[in-house]
Amino acid sequence: MSYWFRRPKPDAFGTSPVILSVGPLGGSNLLYSTGVLVTQGSITFTIPTPYRKLAVRAASTHASTLVSTHGTTVATLRKRVAGTTVATITSALNLATGTAKVSNPFVIGSHSTVEADRICQPADVLEVVVVNTGTLVTEPVELYFNVEANIID
């Protein structure tokens, strides 16, 4: 027998949240054992998403050892619309100034993100772009990127 009153209550977008994640990156793992970040360059990590319409609620990163560079290393969450157009969802997060072994949140909407940028259609792709402007001293170990989203349809 189903008890409808014990189900999670709908949130702002109408469903309960789901967690989307990519990682661990760096260290001795199967995804990227070495060379996660490049000196003075960028790398893009694709976050697997369900083939459904969803709304991004929050994003964070976690690493057991933070990156150390002679420059800055920032990450930005963005949405690639239908494979071409890019919409930035979060402001840049400095990966070297966070706290190791603790979830470090991205800031959503601080760079004039419109609500439509947070809505992902089934053909859209979520990705994290990490840009390094200096020489690497220490690569991150067990670097994760997490996105909390609500499935709309």
Side-chain angles (χ1 to χ4, degrees):
M1 175 184 257
S2 173
Y3 296 103
W4 61 270
F5 56 87
R6 294 184 187 219
R7 287 184 294 186
K9 298 296 180 193
D11 205 355
F13 291 106
T15 62
S16 297
V18 295
I19 304 297
L20 311 171
S21 184
V22 61
L25 311 168
S28 58
N29 61 61
L30 298 177
L31 278 177
Y32 299 93
S33 58
T34 59
V36 173
L37 301 180
V38 293
T39 297
Q40 295 183 350
S42 66
I43 188 165
T44 302
F45 301 105
T46 302
I47 298 177
T49 57
Y51 194 74
R52 303 199 41 202
K53 186 175 178 182
L54 55 91
V56 174
R57 293 177 43 145
S60 65
T61 183
H62 175 276
S64 61
T65 301
L66 297 176
V67 65
S68 176
T69 65
H70 294 298
T72 59
T73 304
V74 295
T76 306
L77 176 67
R78 66 185 193 179
K79 171 181 77 169
R80 185 168 297 279
V81 181
T84 56
T85 309
V86 173
T88 303
I89 299 173
T90 66
S91 57
L93 175 66
N94 192 336
L95 296 178
T97 60
T99 305
K101 301 180 182 176
V102 173
S103 184
N104 298 293
F106 284 88
V107 176
I108 295 181
S110 67
H111 63 287
S112 69
T113 301
V114 294
E115 192 68 23
D117 290 344
R118 297 173 61 189
I119 307 297
C120 297
Q121 301 297 329
D124 297 345
V125 175
L126 285 176
E127 55 191 22
V128 175
V129 179
V130 179
V131 178
N132 184 17
T133 62
T135 306
L136 282 172
V137 177
T138 306
E139 286 216 24
V141 177
E142 295 180 356
L143 177 64
Y144 288 85
F145 293 106
N146 303 307
V147 175
E148 183 180 337
N150 280 347
I151 295 178
I152 298 173
D153 289 336

